[in-house]
Amino acid sequence: KKVPEGGPLEEGLHVIITETQRCKNIIQGLLDFARDKEPQKVEADINVILEKALSILENEFRLQHVRLEKRLDGNMINILLDENQIEQVYINILLNALHAVEADGVITVESRVDSGRERIRVEIADNGCGISEKDTQKIFEPFFSTKANGTGLGLAVSYGIIQNHRGDIRVFSEPGKGTRFVIDIPISTKNASKKNGKVSL
């Protein structure tokens, strides 16, 4: 803060700050991956978690001129899950989507209750660069990344979180056409709760 703007030290200090933040993110990713914490489940609304994740990344969408299309189920129910962990999953996937699209790209976020299969599904799709079939088979492996400066931990951590919620996460992609992540979290009878005066499930 004390360095004069435009001075000879400013550029170097900015590099130090950026690289320190990058090291922090790598270490945090390693810790998250190593901990594999048991979910601390409470009743929560998937739509509320999605909205929070999107609000955190709102500035990134604006700076990159990326259009967001939301289709959130108006009849969402509360289920038992770890809000912080699930939010982390959505942020990780949204960040990947933001890195994949170019300026004026489109990211779609959709949620729905599939009562027939007793699950809540969230889909996050982009019209970005896409991923090759060879790479999609390894995308959830620790330390695998298609980005030059990626740690390869975000999706590995996300996969572990969804597995700990007895859910499923899959990726569908085609180079040059975009990528779609599908995240399913199961609903059980003990997860069902009243909402808007009605009993869901």
Side-chain angles (χ1 to χ4, degrees), residues 124-182:
I124 299 174
D126 66 68
N127 64 346
C129 58
I131 309 165
S132 70
E133 184 178 354
K134 174 173 64 74
D135 287 344
T136 56
Q137 296 172 4
K138 299 183 287 185
I139 201 166
F140 297 114
E141 294 179 6
F143 308 110
F144 175 80
S145 178
T146 58
K147 300 191 290 284
N149 60 345
T151 63
L153 289 170
L155 289 178
V157 169
S158 298
Y159 182 85
I161 288 171
I162 297 302
Q163 288 291 301
N164 285 341
H165 281 77
R166 299 192 305 178
D168 186 41
I169 178 170
R170 290 167 291 154
V171 60
F172 305 89
S173 189
E174 189 174 343
K177 293 190 175 180
T179 302
R180 178 169 58 98
F181 282 87
V182 178

Side-chain angles (χ1 to χ4, degrees), residues 41 46 77-81 86 113-114 117-121 161-169 183-192 201:
K41 295 183 179 180
I46 287 287
I77 65 170
N78 289 343
I79 63 169
L80 290 171
L81 47 78
I86 296 300
V113 179
D114 187 343
R117 297 190 181 183
E118 297 191 339
R119 67 188 179 187
I120 288 176
R121 169 166 288 187
I161 288 171
I162 297 302
Q163 288 291 301
N164 285 341
H165 281 77
R166 299 192 305 178
D168 186 41
I169 178 170
I183 308 108
D184 290 329
I185 298 178
I187 302 166
S188 67
T189 52
K190 69 178 181 180
N191 279 355
L201 292 182

Side-chain angles (χ1 to χ4, degrees), residues 34-201:
R35 281 193 196 112
D36 194 23
K37 291 192 303 183
E38 190 69 24
Q40 304 299 307
K41 295 183 179 180
V42 296
E43 280 201 355
D45 184 326
I46 287 287
N47 286 350
V48 172
I49 298 172
L50 279 168
E51 292 283 15
K52 186 177 177 185
L54 289 167
S55 70
I56 290 170
L57 299 175
E58 182 179 4
N59 200 45
E60 295 291 332
F61 276 88
R62 184 173 54 81
L63 289 173
Q64 289 188 220
H65 305 286
V66 173
R67 189 170 86 250
L68 172 65
E69 294 183 357
K70 286 190 299 184
R71 294 191 286 271
L72 305 185
D73 194 329
N75 296 311
M76 184 57 65
I77 65 170
N78 289 343
I79 63 169
L80 290 171
L81 47 78
D82 187 313
E83 293 178 281
N84 291 329
Q85 288 189 3
I86 296 300
E87 180 187 311
Q88 182 182 353
V89 171
Y90 296 150
I91 288 175
N92 286 343
I93 294 172
L94 285 165
L95 280 172
N96 276 353
L98 282 164
H99 291 150
V101 298
E102 297 179 355
D104 302 317
V106 180
I107 292 175
T108 305
V109 178
E110 181 177 351
S111 70
R112 64 178 178 273
V113 179
D114 187 343
S115 54
R117 297 190 181 183
E118 297 191 339
R119 67 188 179 187
I120 288 176
R121 169 166 288 187
V122 169
E123 296 191 18
I124 299 174
D126 66 68
N127 64 346
C129 58
I131 309 165
S132 70
E133 184 178 354
K134 174 173 64 74
D135 287 344
T136 56
Q137 296 172 4
K138 299 183 287 185
I139 201 166
F140 297 114
E141 294 179 6
F143 308 110
F144 175 80
S145 178
T146 58
K147 300 191 290 284
N149 60 345
T151 63
L153 289 170
L155 289 178
V157 169
S158 298
Y159 182 85
I161 288 171
I162 297 302
Q163 288 291 301
N164 285 341
H165 281 77
R166 299 192 305 178
D168 186 41
I169 178 170
R170 290 167 291 154
V171 60
F172 305 89
S173 189
E174 189 174 343
K177 293 190 175 180
T179 302
R180 178 169 58 98
F181 282 87
V182 178
I183 308 108
D184 290 329
I185 298 178
I187 302 166
S188 67
T189 52
K190 69 178 181 180
N191 279 355
S193 66
K194 290 184 179 180
K195 195 165 185 182
N196 301 324
K198 300 177 181 178
V199 178
S200 301
L201 292 182

